[in-house]
């Protein structure tokens, strides 16, 4: 798999240090609040698992699956819920954990969807952000790294379902898309 990458843009150690930083901040901000951490499948799975292991306060976890780009590298803007959470979030603090914010349309949809269930608060945590690609205003409360407007893979992020298990984040060689 490493041979398919043109370069590694964020290495494993740098990711883990950042995940620890975010976990420490969440542990501080949510002390005594027992939040529900919602992992958006499948892209955020690796990040969410590492993150919750580093959070030092009681939390609950849940999972939601939404449609991704399919096998393409472009956002369709159409979001489909494939699996909903099982928890009752009414009156609860929730933290949505995403892999990457690109146009922001997925998170906007999820945020509005949860808002209807009257949680006490909603915060967004995303490992990666592509600020140049945003099509709407979106506030990320806990953010790992900004990346440029290019397609990245690894640490949960796929291309045609491949490369999710790389422990770092990189960019594929041009010829892989052909
Ligand atoms: P948005 O709705 O913000 O445009 O897209 C969000 C989703 O698109 C992410 O959760 C992720 O699944 C996918 N996505 C966006 N950019 C990338 C990227 O650079 N690489 C990969 N593998 N997926 C991406």
């Amino acid at each position: 798999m490493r041979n398919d990458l043109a370069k590694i843009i964020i290495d494993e150690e740098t990711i883990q240090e950042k995940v620890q930083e975010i976990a420490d901040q969440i542990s501080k901000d949510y002390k005594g609040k027992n939040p529900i951490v919602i992992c958006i499948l499948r892209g955020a799975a690796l990040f969410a698992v590492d993150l919750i292991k580093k959070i030092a306060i009681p939390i609950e976890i849940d999972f939601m699956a939404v449609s991704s780009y399919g096998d393409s590298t472009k956002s369709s803007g159409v979001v489909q819920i494939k699996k909903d959470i099982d928890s009752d979030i009414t009156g609860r603090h929730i933290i949505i954990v995403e892999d990457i914010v690109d146009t922001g349309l997925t998170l906007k949809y999820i945020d509005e969807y949860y808002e209807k269930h009257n949680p006490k608060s909603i915060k967004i945590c995303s490992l990666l952000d592509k600020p140049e690609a945003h099509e709407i205003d979106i506030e990320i409360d806990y953010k790992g790294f900004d990346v440029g407007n290019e397609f990245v893979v690894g640490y949960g992020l796929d291309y045609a379902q491949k490369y999710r298990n790389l422990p770092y984040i990189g960019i594929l060689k041009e010829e892989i898309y052909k």
Side-chain angles (χ1 to χ4, degrees), residues 4-164:
D4 292 354
L5 294 188
K7 61 177 171 182
I8 292 172
I9 57 166
I10 312 170
D11 66 34
E12 190 174 356
E13 197 187 336
T14 309
I15 293 173
Q16 292 304 326
E17 277 169 15
K18 184 63 81 175
V19 175
Q20 184 68 60
E21 245 175 63
I22 297 173
D24 289 346
Q25 192 60 50
I26 289 175
S27 303
K28 212 168 127 200
D29 295 350
Y30 286 88
K31 199 163 179 237
K33 292 184 173 168
N34 191 29
I36 305 175
V37 176
I38 301 174
C39 166
I40 308 298
L41 298 170
R42 291 174 236 178
L46 274 71
F47 173 40
V49 166
D50 283 346
L51 182 72
I52 60 177
K53 280 190 286 185
K54 292 175 163 64
I55 294 176
I57 55 161
I59 56 154
E60 291 176 29
I61 57 172
D62 210 331
F63 301 88
M64 180 185 210
V66 296
S67 59
S68 68
Y69 293 179
D71 285 353
S72 155
T73 59
K74 292 263 171 341
S75 178
S76 64
V78 180
V79 182
Q80 215 191 343
I81 296 174
K82 301 258 169 109
K83 183 223 168 288
D84 204 349
I85 51 168
D86 298 313
S87 319
D88 179 5
I89 61 167
T90 307
R92 301 290 305 270
H93 295 285
I94 66 170
I95 305 169
I96 301 171
V97 179
E98 254 289 24
D99 51 358
I100 187 164
V101 179
D102 186 7
T103 61
L105 295 170
T106 305
L107 265 179
K108 180 173 181 270
Y109 179 88
I110 293 172
D111 189 63
E112 284 171 359
Y113 177 78
Y114 286 144
E115 201 69 70
K116 290 187 200 130
H117 293 85
N118 298 315
K120 198 161 192 179
S121 71
I122 303 181
K123 291 235 165 136
I124 290 170
C125 173
S126 183
L127 179 71
L128 303 175
D129 184 26
K130 290 183 185 172
E132 294 160 35
H134 290 191
E135 288 180 14
I136 48 159
D137 268 348
I138 190 133
E139 201 183 315
I140 304 172
D141 304 284
Y142 303 98
K143 172 154 84 169
F145 308 91
D146 282 341
V147 292
N149 210 353
E150 47 197 352
F151 195 78
V152 298
V153 297
Y155 198 61
L157 290 135
D158 75 312
Y159 172 60
Q161 297 308 325
K162 229 176 135 182
Y163 310 106
R164 291 194 198 274

